[in-house]
Amino acid sequence: MKTRFDLTLLAAATLSLLASAASAQDKTLTINSFGGAYETAHRKCIITPFEKETGASTKVVTAYSADAFAQVRAQKAAPQFDVIHFSGGQEIVAASEGLLSPIDASKVPNLANVYPVAKANIAKGEGPVYSIAAIGLVYNSQNLPKAPTSWKDLMDPKLSNKLVLTDISNGYGMLGFLMINRVAGGDLRNIQPGLDAVKKMLAGGAIVVNTSPEIQREFAQNGATIAPYASDYAFTLTKANLPVKFSQGVEGTPASFITANLVANRPNQALALKFIDMSLSESAQTCFANELRYTPTNSKAVLTPDVASTVAYGQAAMKDLFRFDAPTIEANRASWVERWSKTIAR
Amino acid sequence: MRMNDRTENLLLALPGLALLAMAFFLPIGQMLVLSVSGASGLTLEHFSRFLSDPFYLNILWRTVRLSLIITVICVVLGFPYAYIMARVSPRLRMWMVVAVILPLMTSVVVRTFGWMVLLSRNGLISQWARDLGWAERNFQIMHSEAAIVIGMVQVLLPFMALSILGVITRIDTRLEEASRTMGASFMGTLRTVVLPLSMPGIVAGSLLVFTLSASSFITPSLMGGARIQVLAGLVYKSVTQTLEWPFAAAQAVILFVGVLLVLIPYVRVSTPRHG
C-alpha cells in the first residue's frame, strides 16, 4: 500500500522537478534537507536569508543522507539536486564517483574563516562542513544524578535495562557503535568486541531503535535513562521538557560532519556556490547553534555563553572532536550492517 | 469502414497496457537484470548469499508465516463483519464501512502511535499484564511479532471485509431462508450456504491481504522494531542504507517468487469450484 503510494509520489515529484527545471532553471535551486526541526532551522538560518538576498527560489526535498546519496547516484545521468547535504560521510564516496564538483575557494569567500579540518578536501569535490554534531552520552539527569563520564558507563549491567541503542543503519547510531567498539577493545578493522558488548547489553534488556523520534519515545514514555547519541538530539529532548543532559565521554567525542556539496553537471552552479557560501557564514552558523546546538565551523561565529556551554565550541574544543575514517566506514558499511543485524536479530 | 471488434478492444486496452508496461513490466525487468548482475557479468551470487544464510532464510520464513497469520485473522474477523454489514440497513452499513476503512485514512505514524500508547513498556496493556502478575518487569507487546500482526490486521481488514461484502450482497437472501425453513440452524446456514457462496470474495480478499502484508515494511518496522525484521524491510535497507542494489533486487525477486509459490496453489485450489 504505502510503498506503491510512495512510488507514485516519487514519480510525481520527479516529473515536477523535470518540469520546473525546464522552465525556471536559473533562479531555482533544488536542495535536500533532513526534515523536522532540522529543516525548520535550515530554512530559518540559511534558506530564507538566501532567497531574500538572491531573489532565487529554493526547492527543498526531505531526504536523509543515505537516501539523498542513493538519489544522487541514481540521477547521475540527469542530476536533479543543485546542493546536496550529507551527514554520514557520503560526500567522500560521492566525490570519488564524480557525482560532485570540486569547489573553487575564490568563489566561496566565507571559506577563509572556516577551520581547516572543515574544508580539507574541497578541491576533490567533498563539500565544506557547515556544522558538526558531536556524539556522546545523552542521559536522564533525574534517574542518573551523577553524570556519566565514560563510554564504559554504557556497559554497566545495572543500566542495560534502561539503555537505548540506535541501529547502525542510522548515521549517529553507527558512530555511537564504533565508539562502543573502540572502548570495548576493537577498532575499524575489528568490530567483534563492539558486537559482543552490544550482545551483553541486549541480554541485559537494552532496546534498539531505528530512528531518533523513537529515542524520544523511550525517554518520554518508557523510562529510558541513557543513550549514546548526538548533542543536538539531547537539546531536542530538553525542548520536549525531558530532564535530559549531554555529556562527553573521556575516551573522546566522535563527530558527524554535515557537509554542503556542489552537485556536478547542474546548470546553475554559481547560485549553488552562493548557497554554500551562505551556509558557512557567521550568521547562519550562529543561528544553527542557537536553534539546534550544532558546533559551528566558522571560526568567527560567536555564541552566547549558555549556548556555548552546551556545544563543542572554539579552537580547543574542536581538537576533542574526532572523525572515524569515513572511507573505511563506507567501504565496510554493508558488511557491518549485516553483522550488526545478525547480532541483534531475535 | 468499421474496425473489427478485436482492433477496437485492443485500442481501448492500449492506454492501460502501455501504463502497465511502463510502470510494472519495465521496472520488474530491470529488477530481474539487476539481481543477476555482478562485478564481472552475470552471477547468481546474490541469490546464493541469501539462500545459503539461515539469517536471511529465517526472515523469509517469518515474512511468509506472519503474512499467512495476518490473512487468516483477517478472514476470521472480516467474514462475520462483512455478513453483518450486508444484512443491516443501508445507513448502518455506511457507518460500518466508514468504521472499517477509518484506519486507512489515518497516517501510519498516528496509527502506530496509538498502538504504542497501548502496547509499549509503560503502555496500558503492558501495565495491566504486569499488575495482574502475568508478565515480568520488562514485558511489552510492542517490538514483537504479535505487534506486527496487530498493526497489519488493523490496516488490511478493510481489504478483506469489503471484498467479502461485495460478494455477500449479491447472494440471494431466499437461499438462506430456504436453508432455515429446511431446518438448518443459523450457524448451519452460515456454514453450508453463505460461506461457500462467499468464497470468491474470501479468495480475492486473501490475495490482497497476503500480498500487501508480504510487501509492506513501514508498519512492521515501526511495530516490530529494529530487532524483528521482515523481508520488505531488508530490501528497503539494502536499497537506501547499505546501497547493495543487486542484493536488494535479488531479495525482491525471492520475495516475489515466495509470494507466487503460496498464491498459485491457493488460487488453483479455491477458484475452479466456484468459478
Side-chain angles (χ1 to χ4, degrees):
Chain A
M1 254 292 299
K2 184 76 185 161
T3 335
R4 262 171 232 177
F5 184 61
D6 282 349
L7 282 179
T8 351
L9 264 184
L10 196 69
T14 317
L15 281 179
S16 64
L17 276 178
L18 288 171
S20 65
S23 61
Q25 214 161 55
D26 43 346
K27 277 299 188 188
T28 309
L29 211 57
T30 305
I31 65 166
N32 74 315
S33 188
F34 303 142
Y38 189 92
E39 200 161 311
T40 311
H42 209 168
R43 281 181 194 277
K44 181 179 168 191
C45 300
I46 300 174
I47 299 168
T48 310
F50 167 78
E51 289 179 335
K52 247 185 218 148
E53 196 174 315
T54 60
S57 63
T58 316
K59 193 177 192 73
V60 182
V61 179
T62 301
Y64 288 116
S65 309
D67 243 337
F69 177 57
Q71 290 186 35
V72 171
R73 187 189 246 178
Q75 298 163 352
K76 185 170 186 179
Q80 302 296 326
F81 287 100
D82 293 292
V83 176
I84 196 94
H85 300 97
F86 293 134
S87 65
Q90 284 85 358
E91 66 276 359
I92 296 167
V93 183
S96 73
E97 290 186 7
L99 303 170
L100 305 175
S101 286
I103 289 175
D104 177 359
S106 67
K107 292 191 180 130
V108 185
N110 279 316
L111 272 173
N113 296 328
V114 167
Y115 290 113
V117 62
K119 56 181 176 189
N121 290 322
I122 55 170
K124 282 199 226 159
E126 296 168 22
V129 183
Y130 68 100
S131 56
I132 295 175
I135 312 293
L137 308 167
V138 176
Y139 67 100
N140 180 321
S141 56
Q142 257 164 31
N143 299 355
L144 215 59
K146 196 171 147 283
T149 54
S150 160
W151 286 85
K152 291 211 171 84
D153 291 347
L154 294 174
M155 294 162 192
D156 181 353
K158 285 198 291 294
L159 282 179
S160 288
N161 196 11
K162 305 278 181 189
L163 169 66
V164 183
L165 298 170
T166 306
D167 196 89
I168 68 168
S169 56
N170 171 300
Y172 291 165
M174 174 69 89
L175 298 180
F177 167 70
L178 290 177
M179 194 62 201
I180 290 172
N181 177 50
R182 173 186 279 200
V183 172
D187 55 34
L188 291 189
R189 284 180 311 264
N190 177 20
I191 62 162
Q192 198 54 46
L195 292 175
D196 292 340
V198 165
K199 206 160 206 157
K200 261 185 225 144
M201 294 169 182
L202 292 176
I207 283 179
V208 184
V209 298
N210 277 316
T211 58
S212 42
E214 292 174 76
I215 300 179
Q216 175 165 355
R217 189 189 78 220
E218 292 302 323
F219 273 84
Q221 295 173 12
N222 297 332
T225 295
I226 189 163
Y229 213 64
S231 63
D232 59 279
Y233 204 70
F235 182 60
T236 306
L237 296 180
T238 319
K239 277 194 297 190
N241 287 325
L242 291 165
V244 163
K245 285 188 178 160
F246 178 77
S247 140
Q248 286 171 257
V250 288
E251 295 89 347
T253 304
S256 162
F257 287 17
I258 307 177
T259 54
N261 302 280
L262 184 63
V263 179
N265 302 323
R266 285 289 286 174
N268 37 0
Q269 287 201 330
L271 198 60
L273 282 170
K274 176 74 191 151
F275 185 88
I276 292 174
D277 187 47
M278 287 196 67
S279 307
L280 299 170
S281 69
E282 295 145 53
S283 60
Q285 300 219 338
T286 313
C287 173
F288 247 103
N290 288 340
E291 294 293 314
L292 295 174
R293 300 298 189 270
Y294 281 107
T295 296
T297 57
N298 186 321
S299 57
K300 295 269 158 50
V302 179
L303 305 185
T304 57
D306 65 312
V307 177
S309 69
T310 50
V311 298
Y313 168 60
Q315 203 110 42
M318 289 294 290
K319 285 205 187 93
D320 289 345
L321 304 180
F322 75 96
R323 196 183 189 188
F324 282 111
D325 186 50
T328 312
I329 296 180
E330 284 314 312
N332 290 294
R333 188 183 295 276
S335 75
W336 286 352
V337 167
E338 187 180 35
R339 285 172 68 190
W340 162 274
S341 300
K342 287 179 183 176
T343 304
I344 66 166
R346 264 204 287 239
Chain B
M1 207 177 95
R2 283 191 57 211
M3 283 187 282
N4 66 34
D5 275 357
R6 260 176 87 176
T7 336
E8 253 176 21
N9 287 345
L10 195 66
L11 277 179
L12 282 174
L14 209 57
L17 285 176
L19 187 72
L20 205 62
M22 255 176 42
F24 184 72
F25 291 115
L26 194 68
I28 291 274
Q30 276 184 326
M31 189 179 78
L32 283 172
V33 172
L34 199 58
S35 70
V36 290
S37 57
S40 52
L42 291 185
T43 173
L44 286 176
E45 61 178 331
H46 311 298
F47 288 94
S48 62
R49 172 175 166 198
F50 188 99
L51 297 171
S52 63
D53 192 332
F55 170 72
Y56 291 114
L57 291 175
N58 271 331
I59 289 176
L60 174 63
W61 168 232
R62 169 184 291 142
T63 307
V64 172
R65 180 167 44 90
L66 290 185
S67 301
L68 285 173
I69 294 174
I70 290 162
T71 309
V72 169
I73 294 178
C74 280
V75 172
V76 170
L77 296 177
F79 175 72
Y81 193 88
Y83 179 74
I84 294 167
M85 268 199 290
R87 296 289 176 256
V88 294
S89 70
R91 208 183 140 74
L92 188 56
R93 181 182 315 145
M94 188 192 73
W95 285 111
M96 287 181 77
V97 170
V98 169
V100 77
I101 60 176
L102 210 53
L104 281 182
M105 301 182 194
T106 338
S107 105
V108 62
V109 179
V110 174
R111 215 177 329 129
T112 317
F113 194 79
W115 285 119
M116 283 170 192
V117 171
L118 292 174
L119 304 180
S120 65
R121 213 187 263 196
N122 284 358
L124 273 179
I125 291 179
S126 313
Q127 235 154 26
W128 285 340
R130 273 197 299 271
D131 291 349
L132 293 170
W134 291 346
E136 54 193 304
R137 203 159 52 95
N138 260 341
F139 172 78
Q140 62 167 0
I141 301 172
M142 215 53 206
H143 290 187
S144 68
E145 290 187 352
I148 297 179
V149 172
I150 292 171
M152 291 303 296
V153 164
Q154 185 194 21
V155 193
L156 297 178
L157 188 59
F159 293 92
M160 182 66 80
L162 297 180
S163 300
I164 302 177
L165 175 68
V167 176
I168 294 188
T169 44
R170 287 201 304 271
I171 299 176
D172 194 333
T173 44
R174 283 172 302 182
L175 291 174
E176 287 169 61
E177 286 157 16
S179 157
R180 293 303 297 276
T181 47
M182 303 286 197
S185 66
F186 173 68
M187 293 309 278
T189 307
L190 269 190
R191 206 184 64 240
T192 54
V193 178
V194 184
L195 188 62
L197 287 174
S198 351
M199 271 325 271
I202 294 177
V203 171
S206 308
L207 294 181
L208 276 173
V209 169
F210 184 83
T211 44
L212 287 175
S213 63
S215 63
S216 68
F217 63 91
I218 295 180
T219 303
S221 105
L222 288 174
M223 301 291 293
R227 298 181 65 189
I228 297 178
Q229 300 234 22
V230 294
L231 195 45
L234 272 187
V235 174
Y236 177 74
K237 225 176 180 174
S238 301
V239 172
T240 62
Q241 271 137 13
T242 55
L243 306 176
E244 303 170 288
W245 289 5
F247 186 51
Q251 293 176 76
V253 170
I254 290 167
L255 179 61
F256 187 64
V257 172
V259 169
L260 277 186
L261 283 182
V262 177
L263 290 187
I264 292 174
Y266 184 72
V267 177
R268 280 262 170 90
V269 170
S270 44
T271 40
R273 275 178 298 150
H274 311 283

